[in-house]
Each structure stands twice: as structure tokens, then as C-alpha cells.
């Protein structure tokens, strides 16, 4: 049986198959981990292991669906990958990780905001950094002062709230 000129030979999408394997692996790990939880459902039958089991089964079903789509060639053509935006985001995450204890939540997360904005095409870091710090400071106020959760305070937080926790 030969292919006619208008028929396209289907090849499996290897990237999608790798993603399906990852989904199945994550689903299996979640199911394995939830099997170690005590099933204390009581009268309702819903316990601490119920939602992880649903998520694990859902991930495995998504993996099966992804395998079928990959074998049928249903995925659209992907654009060429650009590593620069990913590297900007990784740099922002690394900067936040390093600066969180030293500079506090607002400045560290503001830096993450600015570098992520840079990854998405906003080139003006002089504008996005103060905007990110302001938004992060508002988040710090809500979580630290109103909800009384412990977020790392830095010089900015100490300047405004003094000996705030």
C-alpha cells in the first residue's frame, strides 16, 4: 500500500510522548503517595487521600489522551523556542531566592516581577522594577500585617512598619 501524493505520512510527536510520560509519572507518584495516607473519610467517605487520588487519576487520563493525540499527529506545529525569556525568568527566580532573606519580600519579589516582565517583552526595567516592588509591598502588607503570616521583612518593610514581624 503506497501513499498518494495528497496523503501525509503521520509520525508520532516525540515531544508530546515525553510530556505524556511525565504526566503518567507524576500521576503514578501522586497515587502512590496518597495510598500511604490514612483513609479517615468517616461518614462522608471523603478523606485526606481523596483529592490526591482524583488528581493522580486525572493526570494519568491526561497522559493517555496525550499519547493518542501524539500518535495521531493532532498537535499543531510549535514555534521555534527562544531561550532568552526562560533565562530571564530563571534569573528572576534565582535573584528572589538569593535576596529574600537579605532584601526582604518586597524588593526580592519586585526584582522577580521586573525580570519576568522583561522576559515577556517589557524592556523598561526602570519602570517595571518600582511597579513590581510596589505590588509586592502591597502583597506583603496583606499577608504579613492583615493575615499575620510571616513573610521576610527587609529594609523597606522595616522603614514603613518599624519593627514589623
Amino acid at each position: 500500500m503506497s501513499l498518494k501524493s495528497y496523503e501525509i505520512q503521520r509520525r508520532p510527536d516525540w515531544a508530546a510522548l515525553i510530556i505524556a510520560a511525565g504526566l503518567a509519572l507524576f500521576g503514578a507518584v501522586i497515587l502512590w503517595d496518597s495510598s500511604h495516607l490514612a483513609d479517615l473519610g468517616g461518614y462522608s467517605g471523603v478523606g485526606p487521600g481523596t483529592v490526591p487520588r482524583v488528581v493522580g487519576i486525572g493526570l494519568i487520563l491526561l497522559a493517555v489522551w496525550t499519547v493518542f493525540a501524539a500518535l495521531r499527529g493532532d498537535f499543531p506545529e510549535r514555534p521555534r523556542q527562544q531561550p532568552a525569556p526562560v533565562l530571564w525568568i530563571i534569573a528572576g527566580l534565582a535573584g528572589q531566592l538569593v535576596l529574600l532573606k537579605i532584601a526582604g519580600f518586597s524588593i526580592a519579589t519586585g526584582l522577580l516581577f521586573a525580570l519576568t516582565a522583561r522576559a515577556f517583552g517589557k524592556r523598561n526595567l526602570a519602570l517595571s522594577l518600582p511597579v513590581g516592588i510596589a505590588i509586592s509591598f502591597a502583597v506583603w502588607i496583606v499577608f504579613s500585617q492583615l493575615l499575620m503570616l510571616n513573610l521576610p521583612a527587609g529594609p523597606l518593610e522595616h522603614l514603613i512598619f518599624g519593627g514589623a514581624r
Side-chain angles (χ1 to χ4, degrees):
M1 183 177 198
S2 65
L3 292 174
K4 296 183 180 177
S5 63
Y6 60 86
E7 291 182 6
I8 299 173
Q9 182 181 4
R10 292 185 180 159
R11 292 185 211 147
D13 188 345
W14 291 104
L17 290 174
I18 291 170
I19 290 170
L23 287 170
L25 178 68
F26 286 142
V29 167
I30 290 173
L31 285 176
W32 173 78
D33 192 41
S34 68
S35 70
H36 293 21
L37 295 174
D39 212 4
L40 305 172
Y43 69 91
S44 67
V46 177
T50 304
V51 172
R53 285 186 190 108
V54 170
V55 170
I57 290 169
L59 285 173
I60 290 173
L61 290 175
L62 284 174
V64 170
W65 187 6
T66 303
V67 166
F68 284 129
L71 294 176
R72 289 192 334 229
D74 285 348
F75 286 101
E77 185 73 23
R78 288 179 288 281
R80 188 179 69 78
Q81 297 299 309
Q82 298 176 0
V86 175
L87 293 174
W88 279 108
I89 294 172
I90 290 172
L93 288 168
Q96 184 192 34
L97 182 66
V98 169
L99 292 175
L100 202 55
K101 292 281 187 185
I102 301 165
F105 180 82
S106 299
I107 294 173
T109 307
L111 178 69
L112 171 62
F113 177 88
L115 294 182
T116 303
R118 172 66 175 90
F120 282 99
K122 185 72 175 169
R123 297 196 181 272
N124 189 358
L125 289 177
L127 174 65
S128 58
L129 184 60
V131 168
I133 290 173
I135 293 171
S136 301
F137 185 65
V139 169
W140 184 85
I141 290 172
V142 168
F143 280 90
S144 181
Q145 301 301 305
L146 297 177
L147 298 176
M148 296 300 180
L149 295 175
N150 191 11
L151 292 177
L156 179 63
E157 293 86 0
H158 288 299
L159 177 69
I160 304 295
F161 288 98
R165 32 187 239 116

